[in-house]
Amino acid sequence: MKNSFVQVQNLAKRFPIANEEELTVFENANFAIEKGEFVCITGHSGCGKSTILNALAGLDEPTQGCVIMDGKEVVGPSLERGIVFQNYSLLPWLTVMDNVKFGVRARWPNWSKEQIESQCHKFIDMVGLNGTELRKPSELSGGMRQRVSIARAFATQPKLLLLDEPFGALDALTRGNIQDELINIWNETKQTIFMITHDVDEAILMADRVLLMSNGPRARVAESVVVDIARPRKRAEIIDAPEYYKIRNYLVNFLVNRSKELSGSSPSLNEEPLTVNPGVETRPMPETKAIA
Amino acid sequence: MDIRGKSIILSLAILVTMLGIWEMSVHKPESSEPLSEYELLMGGAEQESRVPPPSDVLKLAASELSNPFYDAGPNDKGIGIQLGYSLYRVLAGYLLAMLIALPLGFVIGMSPLMYRAINPFIQILRPISPLAWMPLALFVIKDSEASAIFVIFICSIWPMLVNTAFGVSNVRKDWLRVASTHELSRLRTALTVILPAAAPTILTGMRISIGIAWLVIVAAEMLVGGTGVGYYVWNEWNNLDLTSVIFSILMIGLVGMLLDMILAAAIKRVKYQE
Ligand SMILES: Nc1ncnc2c1ncn2[C@@H]1O[C@H](COP(=O)(O)OP(=O)(O)O)[C@@H](O)[C@H]1O
Ligand SMILES: [Mg+2]
């Protein structure tokens, strides 16, 4: 934790509510992300995942605690942290090319036109959008828009990439394809990624570690589940891995049963989530009720 | 035939019918009676002051438009020169209004504090008829030319200001977040995100403004006199030259339509689909 690339320390978010005690979304959230790691976080709606991601991004100030990246405290947004939002957030008056350029130009203001163009082309190719450079977002499908958004974020080569349910609005087929692309890009760039997802299979496919949040209010980052499946992982083959169903059952069981039981009790100061490795551990799983 | 072709034919049919009715209704049969004493007294002016038929207007239009820029003294200038004066005043007042309304609209739209501070003034000043400013303008500025420009300025500033502020304050939060995550300065954010996002709304305000300015310039020039198409209409009325009055009315409409079309084309260029 002490020397980790990203350190989240005793993070808390509270909202004042009229005529009521203030609402504590979560408190004493502690976790770390290592350089080059792909971490997913999952939990039920409203538990505070986006709030944590926005705090990591510097878009939203936590009520307490802090985020440290690369030895420096996060204050305000920065080009060191790229973000992909669920609703793509492309600028609709710009073409695909210009949307990607928007990021690259902001990142390297002194680059020549050629340098900027080649960087943009590289990442537009990477997400499989060559040939659509001159289209506007309104002329693209949802999946293509999200690809542009991913290209824009990756092209600025941030130290940390934050993705807030990037595939939540896409159909299953498109989602699968873009997941594959994201993994490929990650393999090439070895970027550190923090991603919110509601999809257990997506988390197992992509993540090194899955953080589990209990239900809000007073949610906690309860556990850190290691996904110990060899890479490269393929969507079609991963289900044959012996660890796959163990991890899957563990995650589903948490979301269906234990996330409720754990809610309402905050962790103590500096308490870190329990690390579990359901793929190898023979430790009995608490209440193995839910199966695929 | 598509609806476009049909509509053009229908428009032409309506035009011909209206002109026909107009032509028929004003053509008095040649009077065989001798002039009455009153008519003699008016020197035949009654004959002149009937509403002219469209054929007369067309004839005048042809001759006026064949030499629109002639200048034969203060009371006899071509329609082109008169329209030029009016356009000059409208554009001068309009550009001045833009210079103030666009930056101020940005400030009001980006800062809730400024919005609250300035909104009461806008609310009080906006409903004032632009011509009500004329006496004050003439007294303070002491120049009829500048006063006319001021009146255009004051009438065209409000739609631009209000629309700019509205457009700027309603830029989607997502886009502003994109700007802040890319560490854009406030100025760059204003120019590269807020301006294109609000451009259709801003230009819509400018389109309303140019329409109002063109309405107002005619009235303003009737008051200050001298030159301009408003003065021309009034002058021809004093000359009882109704053919010229009708001709200039049509020209006012035509120029107003052109101004509107220019802004409409500009809006089309900056419009985007979400
Ligand atoms: N402005 C606000 N006032 C009060 N409560 C808020 C406000 N914004 C968010 N919340 C609460 O914070 C909680 C966490 O929200 P969020 O981080 O978006 O959840 P998630 O992304 O996990 O679905 C939600 O329960 C929401 O009701
Ligand atoms: Mg969320």
Side-chain angles (χ1 to χ4, degrees):
Chain A
M1 173 90 189
K2 281 289 158 290
N3 301 313
S4 298
F5 177 57
V6 176
Q7 299 160 39
V8 174
Q9 295 178 350
N10 293 314
L11 209 65
K13 187 73 185 179
R14 302 191 184 85
F15 287 106
I17 307 263
N19 311 323
E20 263 184 65
E21 210 183 320
E22 59 180 4
L23 171 81
T24 300
V25 181
F26 57 81
E27 59 188 356
N28 290 339
N30 287 287
F31 64 89
I33 304 172
E34 303 303 329
K35 194 139 194 125
E37 208 180 9
F38 196 135
V39 174
C40 281
I41 188 166
T42 191
H44 287 274
S45 281
C47 68
K49 302 180 296 295
S50 295
T51 310
I52 288 180
L53 184 133
N54 287 338
L56 283 170
L59 282 170
D60 191 11
E61 249 182 75
T63 316
Q64 259 170 26
C66 66
V67 176
I68 292 170
M69 186 180 97
D70 224 3
K72 288 190 292 283
E73 186 173 350
V74 167
V75 280
S78 153
L79 280 159
E80 301 288 1
R81 293 177 291 276
I83 309 177
V84 175
F85 299 102
Q86 179 172 8
N87 57 6
Y88 327 133
S89 293
L90 298 174
L91 303 176
W93 56 88
L94 296 180
T95 60
V96 168
M97 185 70 185
D98 288 340
N99 265 291
V100 180
K101 257 190 204 167
F102 184 90
V104 175
R105 215 181 261 144
R107 177 78 160 142
W108 295 285
N110 299 324
W111 272 17
S112 70
K113 234 179 123 176
E114 292 72 36
Q115 274 176 303
I116 291 176
E117 299 242 325
S118 86
Q119 176 80 351
C120 294
H121 276 300
K122 182 175 155 200
F123 282 87
I124 289 173
D125 286 354
M126 227 181 246
V127 295
L129 281 182
N130 35 346
T132 64
E133 285 90 344
L134 297 180
R135 289 206 224 161
K136 298 269 172 75
S138 62
E139 296 156 343
L140 302 175
S141 68
M144 292 161 95
R145 289 184 206 187
Q146 193 56 292
R147 285 188 170 97
V148 180
S149 175
I150 289 172
R152 180 177 65 188
F154 272 88
T156 59
Q157 297 179 341
K159 289 185 178 158
L160 173 64
L161 256 166
L162 303 162
L163 297 97
D164 192 345
E165 293 184 48
F167 312 128
L170 304 178
D171 62 273
L173 217 65
T174 313
R175 182 190 302 204
N177 291 336
I178 307 190
Q179 283 168 352
D180 289 345
E181 275 159 20
L182 184 59
I183 294 179
N184 289 340
I185 302 175
W186 181 68
N187 281 337
E188 273 181 52
T189 58
K190 283 293 165 220
Q191 227 122 18
T192 312
I193 298 188
F194 180 80
M195 178 169 109
I196 298 175
T197 179
H198 272 129
D199 184 337
V200 169
D201 296 305
E202 181 171 285
I204 302 174
L205 178 66
M206 313 189 86
D208 295 316
R209 230 154 24 95
V210 183
L211 297 175
L212 294 172
M213 281 186 85
S214 63
N215 294 358
R218 283 186 182 279
R220 57 156 79 199
V221 182
E223 294 185 7
S224 164
V225 179
V226 177
V227 182
D228 220 348
I229 301 180
R231 294 186 190 265
R233 301 173 189 159
K234 292 252 167 2
R235 245 177 326 135
E237 295 159 15
I238 194 171
I239 48 174
D240 299 328
E243 304 92 342
Y244 183 79
Y245 278 102
K246 288 190 200 160
I247 299 170
R248 191 176 194 283
N249 287 345
Y250 190 88
L251 297 178
V252 171
N253 178 42
F254 179 92
L255 291 175
V256 175
N257 302 310
R258 296 200 297 127
S259 63
K260 268 194 294 287
E261 294 156 18
L262 282 168
S263 77
S265 67
S266 293
S268 53
L269 211 63
N270 297 324
E271 186 178 335
E272 292 189 30
L274 191 67
T275 299
V276 287
N277 193 340
V280 294
E281 274 166 37
T282 46
R283 195 165 63 91
M285 222 182 281
E287 310 247 329
T288 325
K289 273 188 246 163
I291 307 292
Chain B
M1 196 191 296
D2 63 349
I3 187 155
R4 196 182 144 85
K6 281 183 194 165
S7 70
I8 290 174
I9 289 183
L10 193 57
S11 294
L12 287 174
I14 292 171
L15 179 68
V16 169
T17 315
M18 302 283 280
L19 289 179
I21 293 172
W22 176 9
E23 184 82 37
M24 307 287 238
S25 59
V26 295
H27 256 300
K28 282 202 296 203
E30 287 298 315
S31 137
S32 51
E33 288 167 37
L35 296 177
S36 68
E37 202 170 330
Y38 172 72
E39 282 165 334
L40 282 172
L41 210 63
M42 296 293 288
E46 190 79 343
Q47 196 79 29
E48 291 286 307
S49 69
R50 69 190 163 86
V51 174
S55 48
D56 287 4
V57 177
L58 282 176
K59 260 178 253 156
L60 178 76
S63 77
E64 281 282 344
L65 293 177
S66 65
N67 185 16
F69 298 108
Y70 76 88
D71 190 347
N75 277 335
D76 193 9
K77 293 188 203 303
I79 187 78
I81 290 184
Q82 304 290 21
L83 284 169
Y85 276 113
S86 302
L87 275 172
Y88 155 69
R89 289 178 187 130
V90 162
L91 292 183
Y94 186 79
L95 289 177
L96 278 177
M98 255 174 82
L99 238 49
I100 305 239
L102 299 191
L104 188 60
F106 260 80
V107 169
I108 297 174
M110 287 172 82
S111 151
L113 171 71
M114 291 302 279
Y115 175 81
R116 279 164 177 265
I118 294 179
N119 193 38
F121 298 103
I122 298 179
Q123 296 309 328
I124 289 183
L125 296 177
R126 192 163 64 132
I128 299 172
S129 161
L131 293 174
W133 292 97
M134 188 63 100
L136 191 61
L138 285 169
F139 177 76
V140 174
I141 307 174
K142 299 195 169 55
D143 176 61
S144 61
E145 181 71 36
S147 299
I149 291 173
F150 172 78
V151 167
I152 295 306
F153 165 80
I154 202 80
C155 78
S156 47
I157 196 169
W158 308 117
M160 288 191 216
L161 184 59
V162 171
N163 270 45
T164 304
F166 180 79
V168 167
S169 66
N170 280 287
V171 172
R172 287 247 312 260
K173 295 287 167 287
D174 293 339
W175 303 338
L176 295 176
R177 266 199 317 193
V178 169
S180 72
T181 56
H182 286 89
E183 292 187 55
L184 297 196
S185 66
R186 271 177 88 84
L187 182 66
R188 269 193 83 85
T189 303
L191 292 179
T192 61
V193 176
I194 298 176
L195 182 63
T201 315
I202 295 173
L203 278 169
T204 302
M206 292 175 58
R207 186 181 180 183
I208 298 169
S209 283
I210 199 78
I212 294 176
W214 192 244
L215 288 179
V216 167
I217 192 63
V218 175
E221 285 169 346
M222 283 179 177
L223 282 177
V224 298
T227 50
V229 75
Y231 166 74
Y232 180 82
V233 174
W234 200 248
N235 194 36
E236 296 303 331
W237 158 241
N238 284 335
N239 296 340
L240 283 178
D241 183 355
L242 268 141
T243 315
S244 290
V245 169
I246 293 173
F247 167 66
S248 47
I249 287 176
L250 290 176
M251 291 309 292
I252 292 169
L254 203 67
V255 173
M257 186 179 81
L258 285 176
L259 290 174
D260 188 65
M261 278 165 66
I262 291 169
L263 267 300
I267 292 174
K268 212 174 152 193
R269 280 185 67 95
V270 300
K271 223 177 159 68
Y272 54 85
Q273 209 173 353
E274 282 187 39

